[in-house]
Amino acid sequence: MKKKEFIYSTSSNAFQIEGARNLHGRTDSIWDWFTKTYYKIPPINSTEREINSIEVSSDFYHKYKSDVQIMKDLGLNAFVYNMDWTRIFPKDENYINPMGIQFYDNLYKELSENGIKPIPILFHWDTPLWLEIKGGWSSKKVLVAFRNYCKTVFKYLGKYSDIWFVNDENKSFTLDGYLGDAFPPCKKDPNEFVKAIHNLNVSAAIAKEEFEKAKIEGYISKDSILGIDDDWSPPIIWNNGNDEIVNKNLMDNYNAWMRDFWIDPNILGEYPKVFWDYLKDSKLDPNIIDGELEYLKKYKLDFIGWNFYRPYFITSKKNNFDLKLLHKEPVENDFGDFSIVLPKEHKNYTKWLWPIVPEYLEVGLKAYKDKYDLPIMIIENGFGDFDDKSKDMILDYERINYLKPILKSIKECKNKDLNLIGYSMWTYCDIFSPSAGYRKDYGLVSVDFNSPIKNRKPKLSYCWYKNVIKSDCKNIDYEKDVLEKELSELLARWDIKWV
């Protein structure tokens, strides 16, 4: 990637926004199966998990042209999009669905013609169901299928972008889907977990090999880069005593497991020591075959994406303290020496009890810089809330007030030697959230999910982010009356075609 202007983007994900799940040759994925099987609608205003239908979602599949015009009006120069593997390969690893390719070609062409760079992510948790039946990410069969997927996407869509990602949040996908059962494929099996992790890492090396071949064949520009998107939450030591060595060891163990383990294999070409210790201690077999470790070293990725929402408060698993000090029981994994906690003494949380500590964005960027020294882009950062949509104007001040210090930090960090190339907000419009269904609003643009045409409507945060982008992060503060007037005027001229 050539040195260009700073990237201002929003991000979204096919199974959360696209809809049209069984149109034009597409078949089910594991998320279609999961939402149909575990469908659940809790009471209104509850933060209990909602698992709802994704058959239509925000209907981006049919509304992408008007959505692109809304993005253009917002001032975006990029759009990060997690693609749908199943739309392109709906039957097996060989049959290419022409209408699936056509949709993404149409979308990326529309974005490009409106000055918005598509930034595709190849995989985000949504394994084709036909492939899951064959073993999914726990099976080596996934690697053959993924290679064909990469070849196809690079051949037909590679011309549209010089920035690509292989996958998004392997941590959440595998911890909740392979060690746990909160996400599909609901394995809850440590052996399945380590096999899936290793195959995901090999798949990224496969993508890099095919990426380089696509450059030679002229499908992708020579200066294009391919990265991995990580969701590390920087640690904050809580209630663990004052021994500096003990606390440093705790933090090092946390970072080894919650950051290094997930990206070292694809950035440095090797697993951290904790992985090998875990395999030995737990007697697990990741099914590493001859040549795969060398393959990881040969095909390392070019840069890092980072999904920053919050830090984690951590303490030692051995630490004894009063549970009344916490909002919930500590979270402990099958590995590591740490517990993740939600202390009541920290007063700033979202409604879903995500700690709000914006200064840890810069802390995290410095940590990535110190260890990896590669280009980095914020791929997800946003604020989930219950937006009040009952009035003409959606005044989402809580979202703006969460984002303000984040963008101030972006303004400072992009002028420092931290390798930051861009910022992408989660998300463009309201979507299906894996953790909360349609009740957790993330969008700058509202979607009326009760409307048959999924009406779009800008929120106050839309106007605010538009000003931030237009000023290149200089106008981050706002005057309430002025901003509300801007939204009122925007609504008055909102194009009927954008609804």
Side-chain angles (χ1 to χ4, degrees):
M1 183 193 73
K2 295 176 181 176
K3 180 68 175 176
K4 298 176 182 177
E5 63 181 338
F6 191 78
I7 297 167
Y8 290 102
S9 173
T10 59
S11 302
S12 201
N13 176 22
F15 81 79
Q16 296 177 252
I17 189 175
E18 208 167 272
R21 298 299 281 179
N22 291 300
L23 289 183
H24 301 154
R26 189 191 180 280
T27 59
D28 279 357
S29 73
I30 60 174
W31 271 93
D32 295 288
W33 165 80
F34 181 78
T35 51
K36 292 173 184 177
T37 303
Y38 296 100
Y39 184 89
K40 178 183 178 182
I41 308 298
I44 293 173
N45 291 328
S46 168
T47 58
E48 185 182 350
R49 187 182 187 192
E50 172 188 297
I51 304 175
N52 210 327
S53 170
I54 56 174
E55 180 61 34
V56 178
S57 188
S58 311
D59 203 21
F60 183 67
Y61 187 82
H62 292 110
K63 297 177 72 72
Y64 74 89
K65 285 194 174 184
S66 57
D67 281 330
V68 168
Q69 292 306 310
I70 296 171
M71 293 179 202
K72 182 179 180 180
D73 178 78
L74 179 58
L76 302 181
N77 58 17
F79 179 54
V80 176
Y81 197 65
N82 295 269
M83 297 176 62
D84 181 2
W85 185 352
T86 314
R87 194 173 294 285
I88 297 173
F89 282 88
K91 294 196 326 184
D92 56 35
E93 65 269 25
N94 295 313
Y95 172 75
I96 303 169
N97 178 20
M99 295 195 76
I101 288 290
Q102 189 65 62
F103 169 70
Y104 287 112
D105 186 81
N106 290 343
L107 170 60
Y108 293 167
K109 183 179 180 182
E110 189 76 16
L111 287 163
S112 299
E113 289 179 348
N114 284 278
I116 302 169
K117 180 199 297 290
I119 300 180
I121 301 180
L122 295 170
F123 179 74
H124 184 124
W125 310 354
D126 205 12
T127 313
L129 191 57
W130 61 260
L131 184 56
E132 186 59 43
I133 291 169
K134 295 181 180 182
W137 285 100
S138 303
S139 167
K140 294 298 180 188
K141 292 178 182 178
V142 75
L143 301 179
V144 175
F146 194 73
R147 185 181 293 276
N148 288 348
Y149 173 50
C150 292
K151 284 182 180 178
T152 302
V153 169
F154 295 152
K155 177 179 180 179
Y156 291 105
L157 305 172
K159 62 187 176 183
Y160 287 113
S161 187
D162 58 357
I163 304 177
W164 290 76
F165 288 94
V166 179
N167 40 35
D168 188 319
E169 294 191 354
N170 286 344
K171 186 189 297 100
S172 296
F173 173 51
T174 52
L175 289 184
D176 288 331
Y178 285 84
L179 267 189
D181 58 3
F183 288 173
C186 308
K187 296 287 189 180
K188 209 169 185 180
D189 184 329
N191 263 306
E192 296 281 298
F193 168 70
V194 294
K195 288 185 175 78
I197 281 297
H198 180 64
N199 286 334
L200 280 161
N201 290 329
V202 174
S203 77
I206 286 172
K208 181 60 184 299
E209 182 182 16
E210 294 303 326
F211 198 69
E212 295 305 315
K213 288 180 182 177
K215 289 182 181 180
I216 294 170
E217 293 166 346
Y219 298 132
I220 293 177
S221 64
K222 300 288 186 183
D223 60 345
S224 297
I225 56 176
L226 179 68
I228 185 170
D229 190 24
D230 184 37
D231 57 340
W232 171 60
S233 294
I236 302 174
I237 301 289
W238 177 80
N239 198 15
N240 204 60
N242 298 317
D243 189 315
E244 292 184 8
I245 295 176
V246 169
N247 285 338
K248 183 181 185 305
N249 289 340
L250 174 64
M251 190 170 290
D252 288 347
N253 182 262
Y254 170 88
N255 286 333
W257 270 114
M258 300 300 279
R259 181 193 61 193
D260 306 354
F261 173 63
W262 307 95
I263 61 175
D264 278 12
N266 294 133
I267 295 298
L268 302 181
E270 59 188 18
Y271 286 99
K273 182 178 180 297
V274 290
F275 178 59
W276 302 113
D277 292 342
Y278 175 59
L279 296 179
K280 182 179 178 182
D281 294 343
S282 301
K283 297 180 174 57
L284 300 174
D285 178 16
N287 193 19
I288 299 173
I289 63 177
D290 289 347
E292 285 183 336
L293 296 179
E294 292 76 15
Y295 190 66
L296 291 177
K297 286 183 179 294
K298 185 176 181 180
Y299 292 107
K300 294 180 282 191
L301 301 182
D302 305 312
F303 78 119
I304 298 168
W306 184 29
N307 297 352
F308 172 74
Y309 289 96
R310 62 207 184 279
Y312 277 157
F313 292 96
I314 64 168
T315 191
S316 171
K317 280 183 176 178
K318 301 173 184 177
N319 192 1
N320 294 315
F321 53 85
D322 188 350
L323 292 178
K324 292 179 181 178
L325 298 173
L326 305 179
H327 285 288
K328 292 183 176 181
E329 290 278 330
V331 174
E332 294 181 353
N333 293 302
D334 191 41
F335 51 74
D337 301 329
F338 55 88
S339 300
I340 298 169
V341 295
L342 294 169
K344 291 180 179 178
E345 67 184 54
H346 180 73
K347 301 303 181 185
N348 203 4
Y349 288 95
T350 71
K351 293 180 177 68
W352 279 264
L353 286 177
W354 290 17
I356 299 175
V357 196
E359 55 266 33
Y360 271 77
L361 184 138
E362 183 169 349
V363 170
L365 287 175
K366 286 179 177 176
Y368 279 115
K369 162 75 174 177
D370 290 344
K371 175 155 189 184
Y372 302 103
D373 198 18
L374 289 173
I376 188 167
M377 180 176 172
I378 306 297
I379 294 298
E380 290 185 27
N381 168 253
F383 184 78
D385 202 6
F386 295 116
D387 290 337
D388 182 357
K389 301 180 180 181
S390 63
K391 301 179 177 64
D392 288 340
M393 295 202 300
I394 302 172
L395 305 178
D396 54 337
Y397 280 109
E398 285 190 69
R399 178 169 295 106
I400 295 173
N401 291 334
Y402 165 85
L403 291 168
K404 263 184 60 180
I406 295 287
L407 269 296
K408 283 182 179 178
S409 185
I410 292 292
K411 174 184 176 182
E412 295 166 0
C413 290
K414 76 188 188 77
N415 294 319
K416 295 179 180 179
D417 184 22
L418 294 174
N419 299 337
L420 184 63
I421 64 171
Y423 170 84
S424 192
M425 189 181 296
W426 187 269
T427 179
Y428 155 68
C429 71
D430 292 337
I431 56 171
F432 169 81
S433 165
S435 64
Y438 296 108
R439 64 191 53 214
K440 192 176 188 181
D441 299 308
Y442 268 107
L444 299 168
V445 175
S446 169
V447 175
D448 181 356
F449 291 109
N450 295 315
S451 161
I453 61 170
K454 310 305 175 197
N455 287 1
R456 270 54 164 163
K457 186 177 183 180
K459 304 175 188 177
L460 193 67
S461 57
Y462 178 98
C463 294
W464 175 81
Y465 190 43
K466 181 175 182 176
N467 291 335
V468 171
I469 295 171
K470 187 176 181 180
S471 69
D472 191 19
C473 250
K474 295 180 180 66
N475 294 340
I476 294 169
D477 292 320
Y478 64 88
E479 294 181 23
K480 183 175 180 291
D481 293 344
V482 173
L483 196 60
E484 290 186 17
K485 182 181 178 184
E486 287 180 20
L487 178 57
S488 177
E489 292 172 349
L490 176 60
L491 289 170
R493 65 175 187 273
W494 194 249
D495 196 319
I496 187 64
K497 294 182 292 184
W498 297 2
V499 171

